[in-house]
Amino acid sequence: MTVSTDRSPAVDVPSPRTYEVRTYGCQMNVHDSERLSGLLEDAGYVRAPEGSDGDADVVVFNTCAVRENADNKLYGNLGHLAPRKASRPGMQIAVGGCLAQKDRDTIVKRAPWVDVVFGTHNIGKLPVLLERARVREEAQVEIAESLEAFPSTLPTRRESAYAAWVSISVGCNNTCTFCIVPALRGKEKDRRPGDILAEVEALVAEGVSEITLLGQNVNAYGSDMGDREAFGKLLRACGAVEGLERVRFTSPHPRDFTDDVIAAMAETPNVMPQLHMPLQSGSDPVLKAMRRSYRQDRYLGIIEKVRAAIPHAAITTDIIVGFPGETEEDFEQTLHVVREARFAQAFTFQYSKRPGTPAAGMDGQIPKAVVQDRYERLVALQEEISWEENRKQVGRTVELMVAEGEGRKDGATHRLSGRAPDNRLVHFTKPGQEVRPGDVVTVAITYAAPHHLLAEGDVLEVRRTRAGDAWAKRNAAEQAGPKGVMLGLPGIGAPAPQPAAAGGCGCD
């Protein structure tokens, strides 16, 4: 018998190209970046290892335009990558998001080594534009003026296995004088309720147990369809999805916050007792200058109704200090609302000029020293209130959804971290049995700090969940090696910790 020793020649299989997405700004941008990652993986790219810091074959910047120096930050980062790109044949750089929508051709003029510029309305074109830039060996700039397709139809690489963003609308119909988002993301466009619920059900089938409904002005949902009660109906419909344990939403606007929404929150068991309601200012004249379309009495009236219907609700807010023309009396009105509302937490911002907004050219710009002083006084007051409100939680027994990556000191303290139904962050003693992100534990609160709670005793109960199973499955797959092509429906994923950014329109 003759044994053949001939061997076929080895075939070099090229490694898949790697990508990195860098995200700036609001939750909408974070969710868009999940879609950009999904699109690239659908096209055969694989995510670069954690900490690659620009060593990927494709680096995508998903930008924000609402800060005064947003462009300087972008061009500084692009400049840092220029020599690396020059020494690495085939590397590509893409810039998308709000700053790309705003500056367009300026980006390529200031950073001619950029390969692709795309806007907020055509993120689905990224893989095609990258390939076109490679073949033609010249920059591709494509900015759509209106939405080409609702982004949720795109492939998505979700960042977590137990919680997910679900976008219900894009764009905004408000005209706040400090905000440029409507000019860059366009008028509000709502998704059909059936499409939203289909995505929610698909996510739950994959193991997700918490969803956050996302929109620039989430409770204005329905204005595109002529139904002012559509958002409340959507919350109730989410309550009927079997296996969906927690529903949150961000960010609402006081103008559109109606009694039917409060009733839906109170009467739907899986809608969490948490509300992020941007205030911006407690002064009626300042609110008028901001074009916020509500006044102090209206705002406090909403808070009163929410607390009456949902007594344990944690209410958080956004506040801007030093808006043009703000007097000391105006600022005192903001402090008054903070004392009356007793926010669990407030995200406070010093006003900064946002290019392209009416407020940037207003008279009465406040000196930096005055803004800083008011900011520090506001923060001190809110810290005091946050601590007092958190101390009320001591002794309560709460269910936590175990979180991933939210306790920076968990390793050193032998603790785990989770979110209570009201979204408070709780660090708890690690139990003897395995607990996975997405699982649910019951603990007793023993200590309160201004921004977190501790449960230092034994865990009272551990409930293993399908969400924990989904996390374990994903974790095992990622440890086995990088995925290649991703196809099909949007996958599982997680929003960043609540609440929304300044402006009530996701524009931080």
Side-chain angles (χ1 to χ4, degrees):
M1 182 174 66
T2 303
V3 179
S4 174
T5 58
D6 291 341
R7 295 184 179 180
S8 299
V11 177
D12 290 331
V13 179
S15 299
R17 284 167 61 78
T18 59
Y19 76 91
E20 174 190 350
V21 179
R22 300 185 185 183
T23 308
Y24 305 92
C26 66
Q27 292 95 329
M28 192 68 75
N29 269 18
V30 173
H31 193 28
D32 282 349
S33 288
E34 291 183 330
R35 297 185 180 110
L36 292 171
S37 297
L39 284 160
L40 291 170
E41 293 191 13
D42 199 31
Y45 296 81
V46 297
R47 176 175 281 191
E50 200 72 32
S52 59
D53 191 29
D55 283 334
D57 296 306
V58 172
V59 178
V60 183
F61 291 88
N62 191 9
T63 64
C64 175
V66 302
R67 291 299 182 202
E68 186 175 10
N69 296 316
D71 54 347
N72 292 337
K73 186 172 185 178
L74 171 66
Y75 293 118
N77 288 323
L78 291 174
H80 177 72
L81 286 184
R84 190 169 303 182
K85 185 175 189 293
S87 64
R88 183 171 180 167
M91 181 181 177
Q92 291 183 295
I93 299 173
V95 179
C98 289
L99 192 62
Q101 187 81 21
K102 174 176 171 286
D103 285 358
R104 306 175 183 241
D105 295 325
T106 304
I107 293 173
V108 174
K109 290 177 182 177
R110 292 186 59 177
W113 54 92
V114 168
D115 298 276
V116 170
V117 179
F118 61 101
T120 59
H121 299 308
N122 62 329
I123 63 175
K125 291 289 187 67
L126 176 60
V128 171
L129 294 172
L130 286 168
E131 181 63 13
R132 191 186 299 165
R134 185 188 66 80
V135 171
R136 297 183 180 178
E137 298 184 341
E138 63 181 11
Q140 300 298 304
V141 179
E142 189 167 311
I143 306 291
E145 295 299 332
S146 59
L147 194 66
E148 295 181 346
F150 205 92
S152 290
T153 61
L154 301 173
T156 305
R157 187 197 193 281
R158 307 276 181 167
E159 290 302 319
S160 165
Y162 57 88
W165 301 113
V166 174
S167 182
I168 70 171
S169 64
V170 294
C172 181
N173 293 337
N174 294 321
T175 58
C176 302
T177 55
F178 55 80
C179 184
I180 199 171
V181 167
L184 302 180
R185 289 195 176 265
K187 293 293 185 181
E188 181 177 325
K189 184 173 180 60
D190 297 331
R191 288 178 75 188
R192 293 171 52 189
D195 293 340
I196 296 169
L197 291 172
E199 182 178 356
V200 170
E201 290 167 353
L203 290 165
V204 172
E206 295 186 30
V208 167
S209 59
E210 176 178 315
I211 60 117
T212 300
L213 302 175
L214 181 64
Q216 304 289 163
N217 180 9
V218 69
N219 61 315
Y221 177 75
S223 63
D224 195 35
M225 301 178 289
D227 184 357
R228 286 182 53 83
E229 296 188 350
F231 185 62
K233 294 174 184 176
L234 182 61
L235 290 178
R236 294 181 186 275
C238 287
V241 177
E242 187 176 353
L244 180 58
E245 296 193 20
R246 295 186 172 192
V247 177
R248 305 187 192 276
F249 58 89
T250 193
S251 260
H253 191 294
R255 183 194 67 182
D256 302 300
F257 205 80
T258 50
D259 290 350
D260 66 293
V261 173
I262 297 174
M265 292 176 65
E267 297 166 9
T268 309
N270 65 357
V271 175
M272 294 294 95
Q274 173 228 341
L275 175 64
H276 184 75
M277 181 67 76
L279 169 65
Q280 307 308 358
S281 174
S283 161
D284 287 354
V286 173
L287 288 170
K288 182 178 180 180
M290 289 178 168
R291 290 192 202 145
R292 289 293 286 175
S293 70
Y294 57 88
R295 300 297 178 258
Q296 182 187 118
D297 285 350
R298 159 74 173 154
Y299 186 92
L300 288 174
I302 292 172
I303 301 301
E304 183 179 357
K305 289 180 179 179
V306 171
R307 293 208 191 281
I310 315 167
H312 293 300
I315 301 175
T316 57
T317 196
D318 300 319
I319 300 173
I320 296 173
V321 176
F323 188 80
E326 181 188 75
T327 65
E328 180 62 23
E329 182 180 356
D330 292 325
F331 178 66
E332 287 293 339
Q333 288 301 305
T334 295
L335 297 181
H336 168 71
V337 174
V338 170
R339 293 188 187 100
E340 291 292 312
R342 299 197 64 80
F343 300 114
Q345 194 171 3
F347 293 79
T348 52
F349 302 89
Q350 298 185 33
Y351 172 77
S352 63
K353 290 184 179 181
R354 302 180 179 191
T357 64
M362 285 183 175
D363 294 332
Q365 300 289 327
I366 311 298
K368 171 65 177 174
V370 175
V371 176
Q372 183 67 33
D373 174 70
R374 291 175 184 171
Y375 175 80
E376 291 174 0
R377 288 156 58 196
L378 173 61
V379 168
L381 173 62
Q382 182 56 51
E383 288 280 297
E384 177 185 332
I385 292 172
S386 294
W387 202 354
E388 290 173 357
E389 292 300 307
N390 274 359
R391 284 199 291 265
K392 294 177 183 178
Q393 309 304 310
V394 174
R396 291 187 61 197
T397 298
V398 296
E399 274 197 341
L400 308 178
M401 180 175 291
V402 181
E404 182 175 30
E406 291 205 45
R408 291 176 296 173
K409 299 179 181 179
D410 282 352
T413 59
H414 303 290
R415 293 175 179 143
L416 297 175
S417 299
R419 291 278 172 177
D422 63 10
N423 209 43
R424 283 183 165 93
L425 178 64
V426 182
H427 306 300
F428 63 95
T429 303
K430 191 173 183 179
Q433 66 191 98
E434 180 189 26
V435 179
R436 309 159 302 177
D439 286 340
V440 174
V441 299
T442 303
V443 301
I445 304 301
T446 59
Y447 175 81
H451 302 291
H452 69 268
L453 302 170
L454 293 182
E456 299 168 298
D458 292 338
V459 170
L460 304 177
E461 182 182 349
V462 174
R463 176 162 61 87
R464 293 172 71 85
T465 65
R466 292 171 59 253
D469 294 342
W471 178 89
K473 182 178 179 181
R474 170 183 278 202
N475 201 45
E478 289 181 348
Q479 289 180 356
K483 292 193 302 181
V485 178
M486 185 194 74
L487 300 171
L489 288 171
I492 50 184
Q498 296 289 317
C505 52
C507 58
D508 177 34

